[in-house]
Amino acid sequence: MIPTEQALLARFSSTYCCRNDASLTLVGDTSCIARLFGYTPEELSCLFRNSFLAIVTAEGREALRNSLTNGDDIQCVLPVCHKGGRIVWMLNRAVRHTATDGNTCIHGILVEISQLRQAYDLERKATLALKEKAQKDSLTQIYNASTARKLAEAYIAAGDACAALLIIDLDDFKRINDWYGHMFGDAVLVQTAKIIKNLFRSEDVVGRIGGEEFIVLMKGTADLDIIQNRCNKLNESLQSMFGDQVTDCKPSCSIGVALLPQHADSYFTLFCCADQALYYAKAHGKRQYALYDDSMAGSGYSLRHADYDENMLRGYIEF
């Protein structure tokens, strides 16, 4: 039997009237709104003291209070706990007005939109999952180069911040690939990414910027002791990456470090300084870190030279 329009309205919607007081006390016939949430009018009175605000979840109360501060035309989406224990989502449309007796009342209508809300949540989760996938490096599952750059740029552009930018390059990685094969090389990259991510804070930006190179932006950090500790710890962890399982492969890395704002005031310049420091570290024995200073300018490979045209360099480090 197909439900009538009146039956559908009674099942999925209800009008209501309440006072404009602290509890939004329901007045008049409450049988319709009580039935909408699985209660009887007596239960509504006994359990909630006829308070419309009390029926709504804590999240919904916040939304309802906010909507009441935005004028007399009220619209919001409210999660309500049904008597059966499930959360039902209601679209609340109401108007506040002053009655003839001088009291302010709110007249409204509630329409259940739970299925629409569920569809919205599923779509939102799918969108977020796609966005997260687009931000991650497919092999290591840390930020990819483009995302790492954008996050670092946004942090630096916000101003009034200090930071340390680390460019990390695995030493002699080509030899690892040549001797042990690319599958083993991929395993080294994956484990390196895990080690780097675990060594730094969740708020720091950690990404893979290509091949065997990684980047870390240590937000709010200018303490050289902390930076040195992290760099040394990273090489220690890499050396013991495979424990006793692989004794003839002890990966290490060279690290270039540049500080914001001491060495640069933009991401591009900071990257160039850290890059120069990285190649200084490589040229002086590898398996170490180097902190940028002006004497290193021009020490990198020609394509990464800080004196080259900025637009050409941007094409390289846009990733």
Side-chain angles (χ1 to χ4, degrees):
M1 182 177 179
I2 299 175
T4 64
E5 182 178 349
Q6 185 175 4
L8 287 171
L9 288 172
R11 181 179 175 185
F12 295 108
S13 67
S14 171
T15 58
Y16 69 91
C17 178
C18 64
R19 300 192 189 102
N20 189 37
D21 56 20
S23 299
L24 300 181
T25 305
L26 293 164
V27 294
D29 184 5
T30 61
S31 58
C32 187
I33 190 172
R35 183 171 60 250
L36 186 64
F37 303 128
Y39 298 99
T40 65
E42 293 74 23
E43 289 173 325
L44 203 65
S45 175
C46 179
L47 296 173
F48 303 103
R49 299 183 181 276
N50 283 332
S51 168
F52 180 42
L53 199 64
I55 303 172
V56 180
T57 66
E59 178 187 351
R61 288 173 208 148
E62 186 68 21
L64 187 53
R65 288 192 183 100
N66 289 338
S67 69
L68 290 170
T69 64
N70 293 328
D72 293 331
D73 291 321
I74 301 162
Q75 178 174 326
C76 57
V77 175
L78 303 174
V80 180
C81 188
H82 192 274
K83 183 180 179 180
R86 63 188 177 92
I87 297 295
V88 292
W89 289 88
M90 311 301 300
L91 174 63
N92 178 41
R93 295 290 302 270
V95 62
R96 180 168 41 198
H97 67 93
T98 302
T100 55
D101 60 3
N103 293 319
T104 305
C105 294
I106 297 171
H107 286 266
I109 182 169
L110 296 168
V111 179
E112 184 174 353
I113 56 168
S114 295
Q115 289 187 340
L116 288 174
R117 178 72 188 202
Q118 289 170 1
Y120 167 79
D121 286 343
L122 287 173
E123 183 177 356
R124 183 170 176 270
K125 287 179 181 178
T127 301
L128 289 174
L130 287 172
K131 182 179 179 181
E132 183 177 357
K133 184 177 180 180
Q135 291 178 335
K136 296 296 180 67
D137 173 63
S138 59
L139 177 64
T140 62
Q141 294 303 302
I142 58 176
Y143 287 128
N144 58 31
S146 177
T147 303
R149 171 179 56 82
K150 289 175 183 177
L151 291 174
E153 284 181 334
Y155 177 79
I156 293 170
D160 299 325
C162 64
L165 184 69
L166 283 61
I167 301 179
I168 302 162
D169 186 271
L170 286 174
D171 297 326
D172 303 315
F173 186 70
K174 183 179 183 303
R175 188 173 63 183
I176 293 176
N177 275 333
D178 291 345
W179 286 10
Y180 300 98
H182 288 276
M183 289 186 65
F184 184 84
D186 285 350
V188 171
L189 293 174
V190 170
Q191 291 302 315
T192 298
K194 289 180 179 179
I195 288 170
I196 295 173
K197 190 171 183 180
N198 289 336
L199 275 176
F200 294 91
R201 302 164 301 175
S202 59
E203 61 263 32
D204 293 330
V205 178
V206 176
R208 180 187 177 203
I209 59 175
E212 65 273 24
E213 280 194 324
F214 300 85
I215 194 169
V216 177
L217 182 75
M218 298 176 66
K219 295 180 179 180
T221 299
D223 190 319
L224 294 180
D225 288 337
I226 294 175
I227 296 167
Q228 180 178 359
N229 175 272
R230 294 299 89 188
C231 291
N232 291 337
K233 187 67 175 177
L234 175 54
N235 259 313
E236 291 172 11
S237 299
L238 289 176
Q239 289 281 288
S240 58
M241 177 185 291
F242 297 108
D244 297 330
Q245 295 177 323
V246 183
T247 58
D248 55 347
C249 180
K250 301 291 185 183
S252 66
C253 68
S254 300
I255 308 167
V257 182
L259 303 178
L260 177 80
Q262 292 92 321
H263 300 139
D265 58 3
S266 71
Y267 174 75
F268 172 78
T269 311
L270 194 66
F271 183 97
C272 288
C273 291
D275 194 51
Q276 296 296 314
L278 168 64
Y279 281 97
Y280 181 91
K282 280 194 169 295
H284 288 77
K286 305 179 182 178
R287 194 181 164 185
Q288 61 181 303
Y289 85 98
L291 178 66
Y292 176 80
D293 66 51
D294 292 340
S295 67
M296 297 177 184
S299 64
Y301 291 164
S302 59
L303 183 60
R304 305 169 75 112
H305 197 298
D307 292 336
Y308 271 67
D309 176 69
E310 181 171 325
N311 290 328
M312 186 195 75
L313 267 177
R314 281 192 183 280
Y316 179 79
I317 66 169
E318 280 291 329
F319 316 127

